[in-house]
Amino acid sequence: MSLDIREKLKILANGAKYDVSCSSSGSNRSNHGKGLGNSVYAGICHSFTDDGRCISLLKILYTNYCIYDCAYCINRKSNDIPRAAFSVKEIVDLTINFYRRNYIEGLFLSSGVILNPDHTMEQLANVAKELRTKEKFFGYIHLKAIPGASYEIIKKAGFFADRLSMNIEIPTEQNLKMLAPEKDYRGILQPMQLMKEGIIESKEERRKYRTSKAFVPAGQSTQFIVGASPEKDQLILKVASGLYNQQKLKRVYYSGFLPVNEYDKRLPAIKEPPLIREHRLYQADWLMRFYKFDVNEIVDDLHPDLDLEIDPKLSWALRNPWLFPIDVNHADYEMILRIPGIGVRSAQMIINARRYGKLSVDKLKKIGVVMKRAKYFITCSELPPAVKDLKPEAIRTKILTEALVPVKKIQKPVQLQLYFG
Amino acid sequence: MNIFIYDRTFEGLLTTVFDSYDLKIVPDVIVPKNNLQDSLFGNKIEIITDTVKAERVWNGLEKKLTDGACQLPYKAWLSEMKIEMLVYKFIRKVFETPFNIEKNYGDEHVLAIRQLNRKVTREACRTLEFLRFQKTTDNIYYASIAPPYNILPVIISHFEKRFTDQHWIIYDIKRHYGVYYDLQQTSEITLELNHVNTGTGRISNNAMGESEELYQYLWKDYFQSVNITERKNLRLQMNFMPKRFWQYMTEKQMLT
Ligand code: SF4
């Protein structure tokens, strides 16, 4: 029974790694000199794995035993793999000792389902409670809300955690039924709705009584597996957009399908995980969250899938050529944000700097505008002539051939931490 | 050629600005003491750091700039990239322009100060991420750093807020100074690094506290276990976590 702690950690970290969320953002706990740790609103990454993903939290499973048999999951009950379970104390000790050494921002605890969802959720809540009350731990805690657990227990957990996440994994009810027969689509969405209401309520309480306890202050997140089922990007992004707008989710993660159970014929046979598609989905998600794009501008019935060759912002610009060129010395912030080659930071700098005088191509370059891209879409105090009359198709070809990075080598920011400023 | 010599402190540099106004002499170059000044020929003016004068210049900045922007010249100066003249020109420009210029990124000095500031801030942010403490036999958590810019002053408050209930030391091996937090306050220290391997930043095995080695192993195990081989992307890893940090990072070291 008593596996060596190193063995346990290897097994239970390995089982947790397919959940891509690792963010430690959205919370502002402070220890006021009476405990250990705090959390920084923007979140902090502490290391990066060989696959380039951020390590911010100690991401582990409470146990990888599971009574369910989801097709896409390494921990499903029909897999013959080494199994282990932590004790509450082991998790607490690991978290505190890693934290004190500045290895991590906190804990992300998930689990296979043991006995039943309620019992499992109870265990996760206990770990969080122990950390907060006994150890006076003010670092970040992210708990997985176990699908099917009753809201009462999820709610209890929410008063100790910074973030709760319920993974939808498969974006349509019918395909979820096929791949994860024990799970219930509505049973996942419903607690999300209740949590949202709980969060709003708690915020109001805290406005009135500053001492009342925070409930999931860093909000909820979820994850979709991309490519395990045949949904188009349009559908995935629409669901995501609804989750952001109606359920007020903080983050939606997209995880390119990895064939961990190749024997299962319900799943597509693929050679490589769809990493470029995943990357494009994150870019589209970015456009919705930071660039004020509506989901219907990014994908529509004519273009239900994102273009793999070019990013979704460029793709949008080429589909709407009549909006360009944009005069950077006069256009408003929203329009400047939409120019390919201009990011949030450059857009803000442009707005600030142009109050002092007209901006030239040279100054735009210095500010950080990627002129190779932007030149097709802007005018400023000096017009770059020739390019103005190019047709969208020609621009596309030109950008692709002069391309900054060949498509195949494109970098995949799975967990970007943004420093705006 | 007017050569101003200051004592390599920020107060000294602010005093330089003050004296330059006072003496009505514009420096052609400002150098820290003992820095090549013997090879420079010209009118050498040695600045005596004066906190009152420095304060007056600082207050002047506070009047003309927003709160956040006052830090700009200081952080840029921490880059130690021979930018004394730039800081000087920036401060004069701030004083001599009737309106606030902090966001005029079309201006070369404003833009340069901002860009240096970003460099220093980025390095400081990364140090918050990648610095690793090791627990010693006296229950002090010790960390080595060797940053390209002098970022230690910028990162202290983060660790003060976070690790309130443990003793810690952060030591800049390159600049031979560090800070020690003793549960009450943080003070500047210099150490004899007998128990620290300056190549790896590690403390020697007999100086390691109980379970320190176990946790280093556990952390390395964890780091290996969460990697997904099918997604390997070393370039991306290096983008986010530049190689110069690896030297002192537990998970990137061979444990003996
Ligand atoms: S319930 Fe969770 S752990 Fe269990 S098989 Fe399904 S996805 Fe895997």
Side-chain angles (χ1 to χ4, degrees), chain B residues 54-71 73 91 94-95 100 102:
Chain B
E55 191 111 331
R56 282 187 53 189
V57 176
W58 183 257
N59 290 342
L61 282 176
E62 282 188 330
K63 254 184 230 130
K64 299 277 302 214
L65 301 176
T66 59
D67 284 356
C70 289
Q71 294 289 331
I91 295 179
V94 169
F95 288 161
N100 179 349
E102 69 191 45

Coordinates of all heavy atoms in Angstrom, one line a residue, chain B residues 54-71 73 91 94-95 100 102:
Chain B
A54 N 19.4 65.4 -4.2 CA 18.8 64.3 -4.9 C 17.2 64.3 -4.7 O 16.5 64.1 -5.6 CB 19.3 63.0 -4.4
E55 N 16.9 64.6 -3.5 CA 15.5 64.6 -3.1 C 14.7 65.7 -3.9 O 13.6 65.5 -4.4 CB 15.3 64.9 -1.6 CG 13.9 64.8 -1.1 CD 13.8 63.6 -0.1 OE1 14.6 62.6 -0.3 OE2 13.0 63.6 0.7
R56 N 15.4 66.8 -4.1 CA 14.8 67.9 -4.8 C 14.5 67.6 -6.3 O 13.5 67.9 -6.8 CB 15.6 69.2 -4.7 CG 15.3 69.8 -3.3 CD 16.0 71.2 -3.2 NE 15.6 72.1 -4.2 CZ 16.3 73.3 -4.3 NH1 17.2 73.7 -3.5 NH2 15.9 74.1 -5.3
V57 N 15.5 66.9 -6.8 CA 15.3 66.4 -8.2 C 14.2 65.4 -8.3 O 13.3 65.5 -9.2 CB 16.6 65.8 -8.8 CG1 16.4 65.3 -10.2 CG2 17.7 66.9 -8.8
W58 N 14.2 64.5 -7.3 CA 13.1 63.5 -7.3 C 11.7 64.1 -7.1 O 10.8 63.7 -7.8 CB 13.4 62.5 -6.1 CG 12.4 61.4 -6.1 CD1 11.4 61.2 -5.2 CD2 12.4 60.2 -7.0 NE1 10.6 60.1 -5.5 CE2 11.2 59.5 -6.6 CE3 13.1 59.8 -8.0 CZ2 10.9 58.3 -7.2 CZ3 12.8 58.6 -8.7 CH2 11.7 57.9 -8.3
N59 N 11.6 65.1 -6.2 CA 10.4 65.7 -6.1 C 9.9 66.4 -7.3 O 8.7 66.5 -7.7 CB 10.4 66.8 -4.9 CG 10.5 66.1 -3.6 OD1 10.2 64.9 -3.4 ND2 11.0 66.8 -2.5
G60 N 10.9 67.0 -8.0 CA 10.6 67.6 -9.3 C 10.0 66.6 -10.3 O 9.0 66.9 -11.0
L61 N 10.6 65.4 -10.3 CA 10.0 64.4 -11.2 C 8.6 64.0 -10.8 O 7.7 63.9 -11.6 CB 10.9 63.1 -11.1 CG 12.2 63.1 -11.9 CD1 13.0 61.8 -11.6 CD2 12.0 63.2 -13.4
E62 N 8.4 63.9 -9.5 CA 7.1 63.6 -9.0 C 6.0 64.6 -9.4 O 4.9 64.3 -9.6 CB 7.1 63.4 -7.5 CG 7.7 62.0 -7.1 CD 7.5 61.7 -5.6 OE1 7.5 62.7 -4.8 OE2 7.5 60.5 -5.2
K63 N 6.5 65.8 -9.4 CA 5.5 66.9 -9.8 C 5.1 66.8 -11.3 O 4.0 67.1 -11.7 CB 6.1 68.3 -9.5 CG 5.5 68.9 -8.3 CD 6.0 70.3 -8.0 CE 6.4 70.4 -6.6 NZ 7.7 71.0 -6.4
K64 N 6.1 66.4 -12.1 CA 5.9 66.5 -13.6 C 5.3 65.2 -14.1 O 4.7 65.2 -15.2 CB 7.2 66.8 -14.3 CG 7.8 68.2 -13.9 CD 7.1 69.3 -14.7 CE 7.2 69.2 -16.2 NZ 7.4 70.6 -16.8
L65 N 5.6 64.0 -13.4 CA 5.2 62.8 -14.0 C 4.1 62.1 -13.1 O 3.9 62.4 -11.9 CB 6.4 61.8 -14.1 CG 7.6 62.3 -14.9 CD1 8.7 61.3 -14.8 CD2 7.2 62.5 -16.3
T66 N 3.4 61.1 -13.7 CA 2.5 60.3 -12.9 C 3.3 59.4 -12.0 O 4.4 59.1 -12.2 CB 1.5 59.5 -13.8 OG1 2.3 58.6 -14.6 CG2 0.7 60.4 -14.6
D67 N 2.6 58.9 -11.0 CA 3.3 58.0 -10.0 C 4.2 56.9 -10.6 O 5.3 56.8 -10.3 CB 2.3 57.4 -9.0 CG 1.9 58.5 -8.0 OD1 2.4 59.6 -8.1 OD2 1.0 58.2 -7.2
G68 N 3.5 56.1 -11.4 CA 4.2 55.0 -12.0 C 5.4 55.4 -12.8 O 6.5 54.8 -12.8
A69 N 5.3 56.6 -13.5 CA 6.4 57.0 -14.4 C 7.7 57.5 -13.7 O 8.7 57.5 -14.3 CB 5.9 58.0 -15.4
C70 N 7.5 57.8 -12.4 CA 8.7 58.3 -11.7 C 9.8 57.2 -11.6 O 10.9 57.5 -11.5 CB 8.3 58.8 -10.3 SG 7.4 60.3 -10.3
Q71 N 9.3 56.0 -11.5 CA 10.2 54.9 -11.4 C 11.0 54.6 -12.7 O 12.0 54.0 -12.7 CB 9.5 53.6 -11.1 CG 8.8 53.6 -9.7 CD 9.8 53.5 -8.6 OE1 10.9 52.9 -8.8 NE2 9.5 54.1 -7.5
P73 N 13.2 56.4 -14.7 CA 14.6 56.6 -14.8 C 15.4 55.7 -13.9 O 16.5 55.2 -14.2 CB 14.8 58.0 -14.5 CG 13.5 58.5 -14.0 CD 12.4 57.6 -14.4
I91 N 15.6 63.3 -17.8 CA 15.2 64.1 -16.7 C 15.1 65.6 -17.1 O 14.1 66.3 -16.8 CB 16.0 63.9 -15.4 CG1 15.9 62.5 -14.9 CG2 15.6 64.9 -14.3 CD1 16.8 62.2 -13.7
V94 N 12.1 66.2 -19.1 CA 10.9 66.2 -18.3 C 10.7 67.6 -17.7 O 9.6 68.2 -17.7 CB 11.0 65.1 -17.2 CG1 9.8 65.3 -16.2 CG2 10.9 63.8 -17.8
F95 N 11.8 68.1 -17.1 CA 11.8 69.4 -16.5 C 11.5 70.6 -17.4 O 10.8 71.5 -17.1 CB 13.1 69.7 -15.7 CG 13.2 68.9 -14.5 CD1 14.5 68.7 -13.9 CD2 12.1 68.3 -13.9 CE1 14.6 67.9 -12.8 CE2 12.2 67.5 -12.8 CZ 13.5 67.3 -12.2
N100 N 3.5 67.1 -19.5 CA 4.0 65.8 -19.2 C 4.4 65.0 -20.5 O 3.5 64.8 -21.3 CB 3.0 65.0 -18.4 CG 3.4 63.6 -18.0 OD1 4.4 63.1 -18.5 ND2 2.7 63.0 -17.1
E102 N 5.7 61.8 -20.5 CA 6.1 60.4 -20.3 C 5.5 59.4 -21.3 O 6.0 58.3 -21.4 CB 5.6 60.0 -18.9 CG 4.1 59.9 -18.7 CD 3.6 59.7 -17.3 OE1 4.1 60.5 -16.4 OE2 2.7 58.9 -17.1

